[in-house]
Amino acid sequence: MTSSLTVPLSEQGIKTDAEILANLGTAALVEHAVANGEGQLAKHGPFVVKTGLHTGRSAKDKFIVRDAETENTVWWGKVNVPMTPEHFAALKEDFLAALGDKSKLYVADLFGGSQPEYRVNVRVINELAWHNLFIRTLLVRPTKDELASFAPEYTIIDLPSFRADPERHGSRSETVVAVNLSEKLILIGGTAYAGEMKKSVFGILNYLLPAKGVMPMHCSANIGPDGKTAVFFGLSGTGKTTLSADASRTLIGDDEHGWSDTAVFNFEGGCYAKMIRLSPEAEPEIYATTRMFGTVLENVVMDPETRELDFDDASLAENSRGAYPIEFIPNTSEKNLGPVPANVVFLTADAFGVLPPVARLTPDQAMYHFLSGYTAKVAGTEIGVTEPEATFSTCFGAPFMPRHPSVYGNLLKQRIASGGVQCWLLNTGWTGGKYGVGKRMPIKATRALLNAALDGSLNNAEFRKDPNFGFDVPVAVPGVDSAILDPRETWADKGEYDQTAAKLVQLFVDNFAQFEAHVDEGVRKAAPQAA
């Protein structure tokens, strides 16, 4: 039996006797997943699964085929690791053979991107029903009329049961994520972590869109009551999801967006939120989705008898996740897009206690901090370990950027300059000392500073030049304790602050050395200077 596909698998060179279950809806996919024993329904309706060994991305097992298409367009290195066309051909042969042995396959035809001019048609082929439900939830779902004329451009085949052979396939282990941009084919094997599919589509768009003059971004985005859009860049733990999920603002999306000449548009039709230690008090909108049918929960601990969820239990994974349609969040953009940004916010959690809680950036400074992608994490949880550790992830999303970072940086700088966009650095990290000495920036102060930045009132404040980083820092902001606006003054030992600041400045300088040849003098001059 074959469900209807406008373009059958056979036309893609895929031969199989499997039952093809195409473009099923949420309820049908949940029924199949339950019948297949892939997971269980929790008390209030979400579908709960365990992903086994892989509870996050297998970054070291991802490869891009190096050929005439990618030789000079991909930024090869630790992130973008090459695979030979010969190894990919062997992998593809074995994947297609594995497809031929399946009794049933789930196929979803979806869009990556909400702005029609820039979206890509993606077909996803799964052996697991819940994987098909996941990707159908995360990407943009075509209408019935759009499905009737759908022609797949890119195809993802995801087989968790597949085991790669490093010698035959050129992989590192039995797990493999292989991207062939020439054949427009992505093969994922040996991992049940569903996020690999989502990030594969992100990678495709990050490769394609710069050539069209569109800026792809690893960010969240929302629209204020004044109709102005803000985008929020930030690594894990900086507050990207929390600060953008503001009930007074309309959510465009939580993770992946494009910035075209006319809009900021979500790449996705769903959200993928961290679940660990989720509470109804801190994040009520996200918590509510965990009590809805259609949400998929990965590695969330559930009582086998009562089917109650325990979000504080990290025994299955610290990276427990929930996937849900964006419309499960109240006050979301109807078309998953909004006007071009009026404000760009870079979020960092500075555990060194050096950066001010807010700073205003010039376009050159914005490009410098975008390419730096700085945040800091605490070194560990052992008693006595108090030294913070700097983390630099270029473009605030290095693992997903196939092209050289300067491509994205220059696009961002151009768009900021041409649109008169205001840029801000918001530090949600430590004040009064580094981690272990100081305390976390008060969320109330962070929200007040963010609101003042977004409504334009912060531009009317008096500013000083930061002696280390050279950006503008407000001297006083209504509703915010002025003492925290100058980080040096919050330290008991001013000499220790100066030493710590000099250390952080040097970390920035050392990290940026890799980009100096690829940026203009204005950006190079935006580098921090030791006081």
Side-chain angles (χ1 to χ4, degrees):
M1 178 193 134
T2 302
S3 300
S4 175
L5 284 172
T6 307
V7 177
L9 295 185
S10 59
E11 288 189 19
Q12 297 181 274
I14 298 173
K15 298 177 182 178
T16 178
D17 293 327
E19 178 185 8
I20 306 301
L21 298 145
N23 296 312
L24 299 184
T26 298
L29 285 168
V30 170
E31 284 178 349
H32 276 268
V34 171
N36 296 343
E38 297 173 11
Q40 295 177 300
L41 285 167
K43 183 176 182 180
H44 297 286
F47 188 68
V48 182
V49 297
K50 298 175 184 177
T51 63
L53 176 65
H54 298 277
T55 59
R57 289 184 306 104
S58 300
K60 293 181 179 179
D61 293 304
K62 179 192 163 194
F63 303 87
I64 299 176
V65 176
R66 190 168 192 160
D67 57 16
E69 164 70 30
T70 58
E71 176 67 42
N72 298 313
T73 52
V74 167
W75 187 42
W76 302 106
K78 291 182 179 179
V79 171
N80 298 309
V81 180
M83 173 179 277
T84 67
E86 293 76 17
H87 277 137
F88 185 85
L91 184 67
K92 178 182 175 182
E93 179 184 341
D94 294 346
F95 256 78
L96 294 181
L99 283 181
D101 293 338
K102 303 299 176 188
S103 60
K104 63 176 73 170
L105 291 169
Y106 300 90
V107 182
D109 288 337
L110 302 158
F111 295 131
S114 297
Q115 188 168 2
E117 307 97 287
Y118 300 115
R119 68 191 182 196
V120 293
N121 293 7
V122 182
R123 169 167 288 177
V124 187
I125 303 170
N126 300 110
E127 63 179 321
L128 297 178
W130 85 260
H131 267 197
N132 208 243
L133 172 61
F134 172 94
I135 199 62
R136 185 180 178 276
T137 300
L138 263 295
L139 294 188
V140 179
R141 297 165 287 282
T143 64
K144 191 173 182 180
D145 287 343
E146 288 169 335
L147 276 178
S149 59
F150 190 97
E153 186 179 2
Y154 287 82
T155 300
I156 298 173
I157 304 174
D158 190 341
L159 301 176
S161 66
F162 186 89
R163 295 292 177 265
D165 178 348
E167 187 173 343
R168 174 168 163 77
H169 302 132
S171 61
R172 186 186 70 102
S173 69
E174 291 187 338
T175 300
V176 67
V177 179
V179 180
N180 191 319
L181 291 165
S182 298
E183 294 189 26
K184 300 182 177 180
L185 177 63
I186 297 172
L187 306 175
I188 303 171
T191 172
Y193 179 68
E196 296 285 10
M197 294 182 284
K198 159 191 157 71
K199 289 305 183 187
S200 293
V201 177
F202 189 34
I204 291 169
L205 290 163
N206 283 333
Y207 182 76
L208 295 176
L209 292 182
K212 300 178 180 180
V214 176
M215 171 71 189
M217 303 178 291
H218 187 213
C219 70
S220 57
N222 63 23
I223 309 168
D226 56 3
K228 294 182 178 179
T229 298
V231 297
F232 302 81
F233 291 93
L235 302 174
S236 180
T238 58
K240 179 164 59 88
T241 300
T242 301
L243 290 172
S244 62
D246 182 332
S248 69
R249 299 175 65 85
T250 300
L251 182 68
I252 300 173
D254 78 326
D255 196 39
E256 303 172 4
H257 294 83
W259 182 350
S260 70
D261 289 340
T262 58
V264 166
F265 61 98
N266 195 347
F267 287 168
E268 303 182 300
C271 300
Y272 194 36
K274 285 189 174 182
M275 292 288 121
I276 194 67
R277 291 176 287 280
L278 184 72
S279 76
E281 295 78 26
E283 297 177 283
E285 293 88 1
I286 295 174
Y287 183 85
T289 69
T290 69
R291 302 165 77 86
M292 296 181 184
F293 179 80
T295 292
V296 179
L297 298 177
E298 294 178 314
N299 302 312
V300 173
V301 174
M302 179 177 71
D303 186 296
E305 294 183 9
T306 66
R307 303 290 177 94
E308 293 277 4
L309 303 170
D310 185 352
F311 296 106
D312 294 324
D313 189 335
S315 59
L316 290 177
E318 180 72 22
N319 188 40
S320 56
R321 293 273 182 166
Y324 48 86
I326 194 168
E327 58 265 25
F328 281 13
I329 297 290
N331 196 20
T332 53
S333 167
E334 184 182 354
K335 294 185 177 180
N336 287 354
L337 51 78
V340 295
N343 288 278
V344 168
V345 182
F346 300 121
L347 298 168
T348 184
D350 177 28
F352 289 91
V354 169
L355 294 177
V358 70
R360 185 173 62 185
L361 307 177
T362 66
D364 283 330
Q365 289 169 339
M367 184 172 173
Y368 183 93
H369 285 275
F370 178 67
L371 289 175
S372 297
Y374 166 73
T375 191
K377 57 186 178 182
V378 295
T381 55
E382 298 92 345
I383 294 172
V385 177
T386 58
E387 286 301 309
E389 181 182 316
T391 299
F392 294 95
S393 182
T394 183
C395 307
F396 293 94
F400 321 117
M401 305 295 174
R403 296 182 184 271
H404 191 278
S406 61
V407 172
Y408 308 105
N410 283 317
L411 261 174
L412 181 68
K413 186 183 174 185
Q414 291 162 14
R415 292 213 167 273
I416 288 169
S418 63
V421 181
Q422 188 61 68
C423 300
W424 307 91
L425 182 69
L426 198 68
N427 174 23
T428 61
W430 274 255
T431 182
K434 62 186 177 183
Y435 170 78
V437 179
K439 59 184 179 181
R440 196 74 190 255
M441 202 71 71
I443 185 68
K444 187 177 179 182
T446 297
R447 286 196 181 278
L449 291 168
L450 177 61
N451 290 339
L454 298 186
D455 68 20
S457 63
L458 189 54
N459 276 317
N460 300 323
E462 178 188 349
F463 286 86
R464 64 176 178 84
K465 288 281 183 193
D466 184 271
N468 297 299
F469 285 85
F471 39 48
D472 291 339
V473 180
V475 174
V477 178
V480 177
D481 181 3
S482 295
I484 72 167
L485 294 175
D486 186 347
R488 188 175 189 270
E489 293 304 311
T490 67
W491 282 54
D493 187 332
K494 305 296 189 286
E496 188 180 357
Y497 171 86
D498 292 339
Q499 289 178 357
T500 307
K503 177 183 176 182
L504 183 59
V505 164
Q506 194 59 49
L507 289 170
F508 265 86
V509 171
D510 292 346
N511 173 73
F512 203 80
Q514 62 185 311
F515 304 125
E516 284 187 345
H518 302 278
V519 298
D520 60 33
E521 189 176 356
V523 177
R524 287 194 291 271
K525 286 185 175 179
Q529 305 291 326

